[in-house]
Amino acid sequence: MTRVFSGIKPTGHLTLGNYLGAVRRWAEVDQHRTDALFCVVDMHALTVDHDPARVRRLSRQAATLLLASGLDPERCTVFVQSQVDEHARLSYVLECVATDGEARRMIQYKEKAVRERDRGGSVRLSLLTYPVLMAADILAYGTDEVPVGDDQTQHVELARDLAVRFNQRYGQAFVVPRATHPEVGARVMNLQEPTSKMGKTDDVGPGIVYLLDEPDVVRKKIMRAVTDSGRDVVHDRVARPGLANLLEILAACEGGDPGELSGAYRSYGALKKDTAEAVVELLRPVQRRHKELCADPAYVDGVLRSGAEKARGMARPRVDAAYRAIGLSAG
Ligand code: AQP
């Protein structure tokens, strides 16, 4: 059976981009047709300036939202990365296979390093090495497919390169994974800056729809989305990025093709209104379930405990084998 692994980083509250680009497909497709693991990758949240209590709180919230989005612990493994030591163990081994040049080429590293410096902070070494930890997350489980939004493609390519290199140098240890993307919603853009991805730690807060935003907040953010100076409703990502983003969000919520949907609208206002309602309806059941789960913390604890135990059991033999292959001794 195909093995799937994907993760979400608790650096902020989960966004509509995280949901449409990744989480919804994990719940609707991947957990049903594959042997899937979904992880709150909390160690990745330490790569930028962080508050320990907030990371712990956001990890818990992210795990709860994954379950609220429909991940079913009977069908897939849901866990928190720092509860499974194998990720860190394998990451070090892969750092001995990756090169400094490879890490410095990562677009997210370049962008986030600039942002950290602009905010007056220093750049943590872990920001540079984080894609290697992500490769470890993926390779530890013999992953075939990594369902992600477009922004993570380069990191999955690195995981592939490291798997191939390790296998060639030290013997066959890893499956070579590949990234998969949703047809629509692979890159949801910031509503106020539609040429930038909607990211949970963006500086442009009003352009981000969070999964736990109240319906009226969602409506307000979408009605105030930046559009373009034209009048007709067409789908053109380059010339009309704001409009294209709304059409793509609507298409991702309701199905259909953004280009075809554009033909149904004569005004931006009508498109914004329908998009806002579609997003409110999309989020409604997730928010309802999230509330129920918050009232039952023992259930969430139990899911995460048994998820970590299962994940440990799956990763351990492969990581031990990689240790032995590269010249270390394993347990
Ligand atoms: N805007 C987006 N559109 C589509 N997919 C997206 N994803 C993130 N943003 C969008 C996908 O969500 C999954 C989890 O992402 P992540 O939490 O690991 O980190 P990220 O990609 O760095 O997301 P953020 O929200 O932008 O976080 P920050 O601001 O901390 O960097 C991934 O599959 C991702 O592709």
Side-chain angles (χ1 to χ4, degrees):
M1 199 179 201
T2 304
R3 171 72 53 88
V4 158
F5 176 95
S6 204
I8 196 135
K9 193 169 54 163
T11 38
H13 300 283
L14 265 55
T15 71
L16 183 65
N18 297 131
Y19 187 72
L20 292 179
V23 178
R24 182 174 66 165
R25 197 165 41 117
W26 300 351
E28 289 181 0
V29 181
D30 297 312
Q31 69 171 346
H32 298 288
R33 65 168 187 91
T34 67
D35 175 11
L37 297 107
F38 300 109
C39 183
V40 177
V41 284
D42 54 347
M43 291 160 76
H44 292 275
L46 310 191
T47 56
V48 289
D49 191 28
H50 79 285
D51 165 17
R54 185 166 187 264
V55 169
R56 244 190 316 273
R57 209 170 45 243
L58 289 173
S59 295
R60 176 67 179 206
Q61 188 192 70
T64 310
L65 273 169
L66 292 185
L67 300 174
S69 301
L71 291 190
D72 175 357
E74 300 293 319
R75 293 185 178 275
C76 64
T77 308
V78 182
F79 67 106
V80 177
Q81 181 191 32
S82 59
Q83 292 181 3
V84 180
D85 293 344
E86 272 53 45
H87 295 244
R89 288 178 71 214
L90 183 56
S91 183
Y92 180 70
V93 165
L94 294 178
E95 280 183 23
C96 301
V97 176
T99 67
D100 170 70
E102 267 172 334
R104 286 184 197 282
R105 272 199 296 278
M106 295 295 126
I107 295 163
Q108 276 210 5
Y109 167 69
K110 291 188 202 166
E111 289 177 353
K112 288 191 174 164
V114 168
R115 199 166 70 175
E116 287 300 291
R117 287 194 190 100
D118 286 351
R119 287 174 175 172
S122 49
V123 178
R124 295 182 181 181
L125 182 59
S126 56
L127 187 65
L128 180 66
T129 56
Y130 127 74
V132 180
L133 175 59
M134 178 169 158
D137 301 336
I138 296 166
L139 299 184
Y141 296 97
T143 302
D144 301 291
E145 291 180 7
V146 190
V148 283
D150 270 358
D151 59 316
Q152 292 293 341
T153 306
Q154 195 188 25
H155 293 161
V156 180
E157 284 298 316
L158 178 69
R160 287 174 63 86
D161 290 346
L162 297 183
V164 169
R165 198 174 307 150
F166 188 102
N167 290 347
Q168 281 171 350
R169 281 190 195 157
Y170 305 110
Q172 200 66 29
F174 299 116
V175 172
V176 181
R178 67 183 186 92
T180 60
H181 306 289
E183 280 170 25
V184 206
R187 185 168 284 247
V188 178
M189 309 308 269
N190 187 296
L191 298 171
Q192 292 296 320
E193 263 184 23
T195 49
S196 308
K197 183 191 85 155
M198 183 186 285
K200 49 178 121 58
T201 56
D202 286 356
D203 292 327
V204 196
I208 310 170
V209 174
Y210 295 106
L211 295 192
L212 293 177
D213 276 347
E214 295 286 339
D216 279 346
V217 175
V218 173
R219 289 189 186 102
K220 202 178 285 175
K221 286 178 176 174
I222 293 179
M223 293 310 287
R224 289 185 185 164
V226 165
T227 38
D228 322 280
S229 52
R231 283 174 178 280
D232 51 333
V233 179
V234 290
H235 181 248
D236 182 338
R237 272 192 191 174
V238 179
R240 315 279 281 279
L243 205 54
N245 192 32
L246 291 174
L247 285 163
E248 287 174 24
I249 292 172
L250 181 61
C253 292
E254 297 203 329
D257 172 78
E260 281 169 19
L261 274 178
S262 67
Y265 290 95
R266 302 253 169 281
S267 77
Y268 289 4
L271 171 64
K272 284 181 172 177
K273 198 157 173 286
D274 283 2
T275 307
E277 291 315 314
V279 173
V280 166
E281 289 314 313
L282 182 81
L283 300 186
R284 199 185 295 285
V286 177
Q287 295 183 349
R288 192 188 320 119
R289 184 75 184 124
H290 177 262
K291 204 168 164 190
E292 287 166 8
L293 289 166
C294 285
D296 191 358
Y299 170 76
V300 178
D301 285 342
V303 168
L304 296 179
R305 203 177 318 112
S306 61
E309 210 169 293
K310 204 167 146 207
R312 232 174 273 130
M314 286 193 237
R316 185 98 202 220
R318 187 169 289 97
V319 176
D320 281 352
Y323 260 52
R324 284 190 288 270
I326 205 167
L328 301 172
S329 38

